[in-house]
């Protein structure tokens, strides 16, 4: 199976966790032996990081790299070298992808959503159904919240022609983690291309503002109320339904608070804004931050929000046929994902300014991809 090793520069563009996630997932899927060098050279502390969020050195990504790499290795009985804290180079030799039960544990508040991002494309091409038991932070900084994954990512990514089940067993927050999510999915023969270019008009806005652990319920109500007030200033004709929630004691580990707000459109597009509480930040500010993020995502005229952009690239690259998505400004994460999907999978992407009349005054782009039509050799 092993051909010549593909060399990947881990220090370009976004530099960091995302290069590792995209390149090892593609290596696993395509059976390409891989060497990633200069890992995180783009960040102030090179090497595989561990632990601290936003420490003085501004290392922004946590230990989910390691658990993500180990998970990909285990998914395909591969060989992984150099995967330790502080390492600046890894080599990975994939074998055949296998289904079944796989467990990954960041042992901290490292994000379960990032573990899901790296493993999901791989198990779609396994020989039998998979169950991924992912442990860590479900609502953690610097990564999508599990509610985003369940409420936005899931319905959109399923348009590629597969379904998955996401069961949130336990929520976990910074710094302790302790959350657990179980993802179940069956393999597919091939992915269908998607077309997400018609945004339609916003028909519904809803969400949840949560507190867990020792935080008083009033915090959830205050976040929700502040978010509603902020949205009303700009969107007056829609009922905004943000539920305040006290997470049940047996379903949340540790203390946390946060909010996610979703806008749904007439054509089924979904946009979100979210924010997490931090010590010393008042509840209103958390609510307003999420509301402003949602409103910004609605202004650019795209059909996907800025967080969904980069998560769709690997699926577009693998699909059979031409996929198109309309986005706002293309993020560095998305540019990074495109770069490696082109280098490793040989998919062809074009990114150009949207030429629709209604987008003339907006910063909207069309990302188009000729997918490679990956087929599952096991089915």
């Amino acid at each position: 199976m092993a051909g010549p090793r593909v060399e990947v520069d881990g220090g370009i563009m976004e530099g960091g966790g995302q290069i590792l996630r995209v390149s090892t997932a593609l290596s696993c899927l395509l059976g390409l032996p891989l060497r990633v060098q200069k890992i995180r050279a783009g960040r102030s502390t090179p090497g595989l990081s561990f632990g601290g969020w936003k420490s003085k050195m501004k290392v922004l990504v946590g230990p989910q790299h390691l658990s993500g790499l180990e998970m990909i290795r285990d998914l395909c009985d591969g060989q992984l070298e150099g995967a330790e804290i502080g390492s600046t180079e890894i080599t990975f030799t994939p074998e055949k992808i296998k289904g079944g039960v796989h467990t990954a544990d960041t042992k901290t508040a490292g994000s379960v959503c990032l573990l899901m991002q790296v493993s999901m494309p791989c198990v779609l091409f396994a020989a039998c159904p998979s169950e991924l038991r992912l442990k860590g932070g479900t609502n953690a900084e610097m990564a999508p919240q599990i509610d985003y994954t369940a409420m936005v990512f899931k319905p959109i990514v399923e348009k590629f022609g597969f379904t998955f089940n996401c069961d949130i067993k336990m929520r976990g927050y910074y710094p302790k983690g302790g959350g657990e999510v179980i993802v179940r999915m069956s393999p597919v023969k091939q992915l269908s291309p998607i077309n997400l270019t018609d945004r339609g008009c916003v028909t519904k806005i809803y969400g949840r503002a949560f507190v867990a652990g020792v935080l008083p319920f009033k915090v959830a109500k205050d976040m929700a109320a502040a978010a509603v007030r902020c949205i009303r200033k700009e969107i007056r004709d829609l009922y905004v339904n943000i539920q305040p929630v006290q997470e049940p004691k047996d379903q949340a580990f540790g203390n946390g608070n946060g909010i996610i707000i979703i806008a749904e459109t007439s054509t089924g597009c979904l946009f979100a804004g979210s924010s997490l509480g931090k010590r010393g930040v008042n509840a209103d500010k958390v609510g307003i931050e999420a509301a402003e993020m949602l409103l910004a995502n609605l202004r650019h005229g795209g059909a996907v929000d800025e967080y969904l952009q980069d998560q769709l690239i690997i699926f577009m690259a693998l699909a059979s046929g031409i996929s198109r998505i309309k986005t706002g400004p293309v993020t560095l994460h998305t540019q990074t994902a495109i770069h490696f999907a082109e280098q490793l999978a040989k998919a062809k992407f074009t990114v150009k300014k949207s030429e629709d009349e209604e987008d003339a005054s907006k910063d909207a782009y069309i990302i188009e991809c000729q997918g490679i039509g990956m087929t599952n050799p096991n089915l």
Side-chain angles (χ1 to χ4, degrees), residues 2-291:
R5 240 175 236 295
V6 180
E7 300 284 340
V8 162
D9 182 343
I12 60 173
M13 303 174 90
E14 200 266 337
Q18 203 218 356
I19 293 180
L20 284 171
R21 282 194 296 280
V22 174
S23 60
T24 49
L26 286 168
S27 157
C28 173
L29 280 156
L30 301 161
L32 292 170
L34 180 73
R35 176 183 289 118
V36 185
Q37 295 171 298
K38 300 193 221 130
I39 293 169
R40 298 168 58 74
R43 300 285 176 86
S44 51
T45 309
L48 288 177
S49 74
F50 194 81
W53 262 247
K54 301 192 180 172
S55 61
K56 289 193 182 66
M57 293 174 177
K58 280 283 185 255
V59 177
L60 293 179
V61 184
Q64 59 265 27
H65 289 162
L66 272 182
S67 31
L69 289 170
E70 288 162 358
M71 181 164 208
I72 292 284
R73 176 196 66 200
D74 297 344
L75 285 175
C76 70
D77 278 331
Q79 288 168 306
L80 180 63
E81 284 151 42
E84 55 246 5
I85 310 303
S87 170
T88 57
E89 178 175 321
I90 62 138
T91 60
F92 178 57
T93 312
E95 294 294 336
K96 192 176 157 179
I97 302 170
K98 55 186 212 279
V101 179
H102 298 282
T103 302
D105 188 352
T106 67
K107 304 200 171 51
T108 63
S111 166
V112 297
C113 302
L114 294 179
L115 289 174
M116 197 187 305
Q117 255 180 51
V118 68
S119 52
M120 185 175 284
C122 301
V123 295
L124 279 173
F125 291 89
C128 63
S130 300
E131 181 176 301
L132 308 173
R133 297 176 169 248
L134 310 174
K135 299 176 182 182
T138 58
N139 299 78
E141 283 292 342
M142 305 309 300
Q145 294 190 48
I146 192 66
D147 307 273
Y148 182 88
T149 302
M151 296 162 84
V152 178
F153 173 76
K154 181 182 188 310
I156 302 293
V157 83
E158 287 180 342
K159 292 178 192 288
F160 285 102
F162 68 93
T163 57
F164 70 95
N165 179 280
C166 178
D167 184 6
I168 305 167
K169 289 282 182 216
M170 178 71 76
R171 289 171 178 270
Y173 312 97
Y174 177 80
K176 288 193 187 123
E180 182 178 14
V181 174
I182 297 180
V183 178
R184 295 183 186 89
M185 57 199 302
S186 292
V188 291
K189 182 69 192 163
Q190 207 171 33
L191 294 174
S192 311
I194 60 165
N195 188 334
L196 292 174
T197 51
D198 178 8
R199 187 170 104 179
C201 50
V202 177
T203 53
K204 271 190 210 166
I205 298 178
Y206 52 91
R208 73 194 299 271
F210 71 86
V211 289
V214 299
L215 290 150
F217 188 55
K218 180 182 185 311
V219 170
K221 290 196 285 200
D222 289 352
M223 289 188 294
V228 170
R229 283 194 303 273
C230 182
I231 292 166
R232 287 258 165 81
K233 286 182 193 147
E234 209 156 312
I235 300 173
R236 292 183 188 83
D237 49 350
L238 279 181
Y239 174 63
V240 181
N241 178 18
I242 303 175
Q243 294 287 323
V245 179
Q246 170 81 56
E247 301 291 8
K249 289 269 185 280
D250 58 346
Q251 286 166 37
F253 184 81
N255 308 309
N257 67 295
I259 180 170
I260 180 165
I261 317 163
I262 290 163
E264 198 172 305
T265 76
S266 53
T267 54
C269 295
L270 297 163
F271 299 84
S274 64
S275 182
L276 286 165
K278 297 180 200 64
R279 210 165 260 174
V281 176
N282 81 24
D284 286 27
K285 195 171 169 203
V286 180
I288 290 164
E289 185 177 62

